[in-house]
Amino acid sequence: MAGVPTSVIAATGLVGGYATARWTKKRPVGGVALAAAGVVAAKGWQQKAGTATAAALSGAYVAAFAGSHPLAKKIGAWPSVFAVAGGVALASWVAVDRRK
């Protein structure tokens, strides 16, 4: 996974976690996908930018997941997921990936 930008991993985790939960109709399975991508992204953030950045971006990842739920009530599920995934991807790119 060393060649994959952390922004892509994080966004894929949020979108993929929701997609997995929706299509399998098993929320815990989606949670596993979400968590696995989050762990991979956090490891990349820590290796590339340090512990403080990894902690901040991990917090943003969790906040995006949590925030997507009330946002979905206003704009719909898929638009909400794409919006928060884009936000986390942008934060990850700015803080980590663009430094390459």
Side-chain angles (χ1 to χ4, degrees):
M1 299 298 293
V4 179
T6 59
S7 55
V8 173
I9 296 168
T12 300
L14 289 161
V15 173
Y18 175 68
T20 301
R22 183 166 178 143
W23 290 323
T24 64
K25 297 184 177 22
K26 294 182 182 353
R27 292 177 77 176
V29 176
V32 169
L34 175 83
V39 167
V40 172
K43 184 176 178 181
W45 293 327
Q46 198 278 326
Q47 289 174 344
K48 294 177 182 178
T51 302
T53 300
L57 289 171
S58 294
Y61 187 80
V62 172
F65 167 69
S68 69
H69 293 82
L71 183 59
K73 292 179 181 178
K74 296 184 185 306
I75 66 172
W78 279 111
S80 173
V81 170
F82 287 129
V84 300
V88 170
L90 178 61
S92 179
W93 181 82
V94 167
V96 179
D97 296 333
R98 75 175 175 162
R99 295 186 196 191
K100 231 175 167 181

